[in-house]
Amino acid sequence: MTVCTIGVETSCDETAVAVIEADEKGCRLCAEALATRPEEHSALGGIVPELTVRQHLELLPRLMVEVQEKAGARKVQAVGATAGPGLAPALLVGLSFGKALAWSQGNSFFAINHLEGHLFSPFVSQGMWPVYPHVALIVSGGHTLLVEASGPQRRKILGTTRDDAAGEAFDKLARMVGLGYPGGAALEKEARMGKKGRMSLPRPMKGTEGCDFSFSGLKNAARLLLEKNPEIAQPGEARSNFCAEVQAAITESLADRASAALEETGISTFTVSGGVSANQGVLQALKSMAQDRRVTLHCAAGGWNTDNASMIAAVAARRALDGLPSDWDADADPRWSVAR
Ligand code: KG4
Ligand code: ZN
């Protein structure tokens, strides 16, 4: 049996729609359309929930037409929409849109956990279904999680952040030295021109018990360093060295915590997804850690590491193949945990 599935993602400021085709062997992306207008949010100093609603309402119908044109004439069987975690008003737009679409086309409907999408993306981006058991590292602007997935519906959280998410830390540190918002990618670019070790910043939680993360200590140490040496925030060699040191601190922390999770569980399949996994330094450190531990690493490639609708469509397709539709009254849950 092949199922053609539409995925809708509106958990934060990105609006995305995707069409995938799936069967028991795996899934294939037919079309995706994504839009985001971060400049409208940055002008207001961060993500504004009311603005995300207006943007999703405006963009969804347009993106829907775009993917349908790209995907060509296909008979759709299922629609999945992100129901959480995320911003409540933003989630409600996509969820209502997805339900209305499914109802009007006579499809089954699936309310999808955004984080389960991130768990799927390293596998489905390679066309395959998730392999169990595995340990997943999800590193984005809103989440930093280590999850043990021992079966399709059996998941345990091994570690989470005690304060900021890894992407949030990248963004806040980038902003301190004038690299804009969101600044993760800009900080990585600047770090390539600098050298780590020219100034000293802590490696958060490295070597500690358990698998938790924390980035507030790094942020405070960086703030003190910049207060004492304001010239670092100006474009030039010192700023590049600062970025290289920040990049090294976050990277070492992520690799150390992931290594602790693999040690704790003894599991030999490891995945990474989320916006921060687009960082080549982070990816290289995780690759060499996995190699040292003789663990297989699956990364979410290309557009699959940042927020997207393909991963939401893939989870819905898996659910459709397993005959597990959601109820029509499924509600948005801004704090929906990925643990089961
Ligand atoms: O997964 P994502 O697109 O959205 C969610 O937050 O769910 O992740 C966005 C985050 C932002 O914090 C952004 O700065 C960070 O991922 N990011 C990066 C890089 N590209 C995106 N952080 C470090 N290096 C990058 N190259
Ligand atoms: Zn995400």
Side-chain angles (χ1 to χ4, degrees):
M1 181 176 65
T2 302
V3 288
C4 181
T5 309
I6 294 177
V8 177
E9 158 64 33
T10 63
S11 64
C12 192
D13 61 329
E14 259 120 13
T15 320
V17 182
V19 179
I20 68 150
E21 254 176 10
D23 59 23
E24 280 304 333
K25 287 196 213 113
C27 60
R28 188 178 70 81
L29 178 62
C30 305
E32 178 169 51
L34 184 141
T36 172
R37 297 192 193 131
E39 63 289 348
E40 291 180 12
H41 292 279
S42 19
L44 297 166
I47 305 286
V48 181
E50 290 77 7
L51 184 57
T52 62
V53 169
R54 194 160 359 116
Q55 292 178 340
H56 293 319
L57 282 169
E58 246 177 70
L59 291 164
L60 273 176
R62 205 186 305 162
L63 297 182
M64 191 66 231
V65 171
E66 204 181 311
V67 289
Q68 276 170 332
E69 275 170 9
K70 278 194 215 160
R74 278 168 211 275
K75 173 130 185 48
V76 173
Q77 282 87 23
V79 176
T82 304
L87 287 174
L91 289 166
L92 281 168
V93 179
L95 191 64
S96 312
F97 184 88
K99 281 184 190 174
L101 188 68
W103 183 270
S104 65
Q105 296 181 150
N107 303 145
S108 32
F109 175 73
F110 301 82
I112 304 299
N113 183 307
H114 177 84
L115 294 170
E116 197 178 354
H118 280 304
L119 293 180
F120 266 54
S121 59
F123 297 105
V124 291
S125 60
Q126 300 172 52
M128 63 197 279
W129 292 119
V131 170
Y132 300 100
H134 68 260
V135 169
L137 173 65
I138 303 175
V139 269
S140 69
H143 303 277
T144 303
L145 283 171
L146 275 160
V147 181
E148 176 181 353
S150 42
Q153 296 306 321
R154 283 173 53 211
R155 300 186 288 266
K156 183 176 130 189
I157 293 174
L158 299 167
T160 184
T161 182
R162 296 182 179 176
D163 36 64
D164 292 343
E168 200 180 352
F170 266 113
D171 294 339
K172 286 180 176 170
L173 287 151
R175 185 183 274 188
M176 282 185 201
V177 290
L179 291 173
Y181 177 86
L187 192 144
E188 180 188 10
K189 202 166 152 214
E190 177 97 20
R192 279 201 215 111
M193 298 183 283
K195 285 201 170 64
K196 67 173 181 179
R198 294 293 164 97
M199 47 194 86
S200 165
L201 288 173
R203 273 43 179 169
M205 305 295 280
K206 193 173 172 183
T208 57
E209 279 255 325
C211 309
D212 273 352
F213 303 85
S214 166
F215 296 101
S216 62
L218 171 65
K219 199 175 58 187
N220 289 338
R223 185 173 294 127
L224 289 174
L225 181 70
L226 290 167
E227 269 168 26
K228 272 194 204 148
N229 309 279
E231 71 284 358
I232 295 176
Q234 301 308 313
E237 199 183 327
R239 186 168 79 170
S240 305
N241 291 339
F242 171 85
C243 291
E245 185 66 10
V246 167
Q247 161 90 28
I250 298 179
T251 300
E252 284 177 37
S253 173
L254 293 177
D256 176 77
R257 307 289 69 207
S259 178
L262 290 164
E263 178 73 32
E264 187 181 313
T265 57
I267 290 172
S268 58
T269 303
F270 173 49
T271 70
V272 60
S273 63
V276 175
S277 69
N279 186 301
Q280 290 307 306
V282 169
L283 216 49
Q284 277 313 318
L286 294 175
K287 274 185 185 160
S288 74
M289 182 275 291
Q291 218 166 22
D292 291 347
R293 301 195 68 94
R294 297 179 196 281
V295 158
T296 308
L297 171 64
H298 296 271
C299 317
W304 292 83
N305 42 24
T306 48
D307 283 352
N308 65 81
S310 314
M311 65 186 192
I312 304 304
V315 181
R318 183 64 261 173
R319 204 70 45 84
L321 288 167
D322 295 338
L324 297 167
S326 302
D327 291 335
W328 288 102
D329 61 359
D331 208 354
D333 182 353
R335 294 178 180 276
W336 193 1
S337 169
V338 75
R340 304 250 350 195

